[in-house]
């Protein structure tokens, strides 16, 4: 009954264009009623952040995101799903992560995008390091307990 | 066994990856972490709180109680902060 | 404490470009960590739909969307919020409605966009009529009870 | 009083808007709907189920129990289906 779709997963150093990715899921189709896109950007902590550096586990990053994406397409009737996560140095204001979920139904698109972001945060093998202006020390961002709390929203 | 380290685990150990021969008594992920801690100050600094260390076996998340396969890529890293 | 923002509300016959609207909320800023955009499209019901016709109440449509948008900016710390709703004839595959919510925080952006859509559906004065291929009769789309259920998610 | 109709309420009444003089006993939105129903078959067809009719006074949603102001734009319409 549920439309199946094959998620598109990319892990890359280059920037992405949310508009292009959205068009890929809607162009020439008449069955898409809702597209939810989430873009996560590098946010400046009080003007002191020079850049984020994102380390990742090549191979596992793609595999783990694909596992989460496939779980989402099994849970919600999606017509399309795209997930892109960048690695490397990223300046404030730049894109880090993109999730685009398309469906015939509004709630499915919202929930799938929300679910993807919750699981990416605590299961995709990426680690953020902060490069701070005027300092040679770079510090690893600590995981938040709330990230694990977020996962519980999707249980049961 | 191929070991691979990320983020501050990598920095504290001072290696990205290495291949080690494990003694026969190292059977689980927890055994591995305990054995590595004894290999020097860099390892004990990286693994001082084994409970926060996340582990992947052949690129899939694994519990500390998981038995190690004979040949595998075992990755050790801090809690993830992507997204 | 919460960043205040002045929502941009437009009710128009013309199409819109989600990418342009998103850029408007992020360009030149370093404080935006999350952008959630929802695009509602005209979906074809089994290949029989020729077009939707959207009637609206000019004046009240803008005013009511602005009331909902202002409620959202009061509830969540948003750095930007844009809502665009089209009226007139809309073919399958075309855009109908856009909500873009920007925030420092992921959950605020998701919740605000979700809230906006729930309230738009049952409070913004728009009515959809379906023009069906091969028929001269056009039928009004009926409101769903589930639309009112959706509002209850935001109570309390 | 300025009355304005939308969607199938407009189609069934056959008018987009009109200006009417209300009798003194028409005090609330519910009174108005009831009074309009008696104005002809087109009105009774449009308003046969007054409970589903939504009302806005001066472009704000209003309950059926709301008292009518002296001068206002009163809009009658079906449940909304935008978004």
């Amino acid at each position: 009954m549920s439309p199946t779709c094959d998620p598109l997963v990319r892990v890359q150093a280059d920037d992405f264009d949310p508009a292009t990715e959205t068009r890929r899921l809607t162009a020439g189709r008449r069955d898409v009623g809702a597209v939810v896109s989430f873009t996560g950007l590098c946010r400046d902590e009080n003007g002191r952040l020079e850049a984020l550096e994102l380390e990742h586990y090549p191979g596992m990053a793609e595999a783990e995101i694909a596992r989460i994406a496939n779980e989402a397409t099994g849970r919600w009737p999606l017509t399309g799903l795209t997930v892109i996560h960048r690695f490397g140095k990223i300046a404030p204001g730049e894109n880090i992560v993109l999730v685009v979920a398309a469906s015939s139904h509004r709630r499915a698109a919202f929930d799938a995008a929300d679910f993807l972001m919750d699981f990416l945060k605590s299961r995709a093998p990426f680690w953020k390091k902060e490069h701070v202006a005027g300092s040679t020390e770079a510090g690893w961002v600590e995981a938040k307990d709330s990230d694990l709390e977020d996962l519980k929203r999707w249980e049961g | 066994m191929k070991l691979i380290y990320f983020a501050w685990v990598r920095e504290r150990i001072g290696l990205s990856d290495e291949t080690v021969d494990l003694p026969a008594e190292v059977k689980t992920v927890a055994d591995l972490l305990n054995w590595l801690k004894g290999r020097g100050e860099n390892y004990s600094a990286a693994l001082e709180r084994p409970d926060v260390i996340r582990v992947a076996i052949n690129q899939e998340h694994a519990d500390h109680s998981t038995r190690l396969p004979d040949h595998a890529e075992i990755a050790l890293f801090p809690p993830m902060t992507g997204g």
Side-chain angles (χ1 to χ4, degrees), chain A, chain B:
Chain A
M1 174 209 113
S2 64
T4 51
C5 76
D6 205 20
L8 174 63
V9 172
R10 292 213 312 261
V11 173
Q12 61 188 42
D14 291 340
D15 196 11
F16 50 76
D17 177 31
T20 304
E21 300 309 325
T22 300
R23 253 194 312 273
R24 197 197 300 278
L25 300 188
T26 57
R29 300 187 69 139
R30 298 160 65 105
D31 59 339
V32 179
V35 179
V36 170
S37 95
F38 175 90
T39 310
L41 299 99
C42 176
R43 182 162 58 98
D44 190 8
E45 311 287 343
N46 341 311
R48 63 178 193 86
L49 186 71
E50 211 157 67
L52 277 181
E53 192 174 344
L54 269 127
E55 181 169 334
H56 77 300
Y57 184 172
M60 180 173 170
E62 292 83 347
E64 186 64 23
I65 296 175
R67 281 189 282 267
I68 301 167
N70 284 318
E71 163 109 24
T73 60
R75 267 174 100 137
W76 291 282
L78 303 178
T79 58
L81 178 61
T82 296
V83 185
I84 303 177
H85 204 305
R86 293 179 68 194
F87 60 83
K89 268 211 178 175
I90 295 179
E94 280 190 58
N95 295 323
I96 299 174
V97 59
L98 176 73
V99 171
V100 189
S103 176
S104 302
H105 302 288
R106 176 168 58 110
R107 183 121 315 281
F110 263 118
D111 287 349
D114 197 358
F115 171 91
L116 251 295
M117 284 308 305
D118 276 350
F119 278 79
L120 277 186
K121 282 241 168 227
S122 39
R123 295 193 58 94
F126 290 84
W127 301 271
K128 289 193 186 105
K129 195 176 204 176
E130 290 182 333
H131 291 270
V132 169
S135 162
T136 53
E137 285 279 302
W140 292 100
V141 172
E142 275 203 64
K144 295 194 210 87
D145 289 342
S146 61
D147 291 344
L148 287 173
E149 285 302 306
D150 286 342
L151 296 192
K152 297 198 185 136
R153 301 167 62 221
W154 305 102
E155 281 171 11
Chain B
M1 192 75 77
K2 167 100 179 267
L3 301 180
I4 173 166
Y5 310 121
F6 292 100
W8 52 253
V9 174
R10 173 180 54 70
E11 287 182 343
R12 291 182 193 172
I13 292 179
L15 285 175
S16 292
D17 59 272
E18 60 183 321
T19 302
V20 295
D21 285 323
L22 297 179
E25 68 270 22
V26 174
K27 294 194 165 64
T28 66
V29 167
D31 295 340
L32 172 66
L33 294 176
N34 194 43
W35 177 77
L36 280 172
K37 265 174 84 169
R39 294 183 76 212
E41 258 183 47
N42 51 338
Y43 289 94
S44 61
L47 307 175
E48 60 181 337
R49 290 187 51 206
D51 54 307
V52 306
I53 302 293
R54 305 304 173 90
V55 179
I57 300 177
N58 290 331
Q59 310 196 344
E60 288 205 49
H61 291 295
D63 283 333
H64 285 200
S65 61
T66 308
R67 283 189 77 86
L68 300 173
D70 286 340
H71 301 284
E73 175 177 294
I74 315 275
L76 307 187
F77 42 78
M80 288 134 287
T81 54

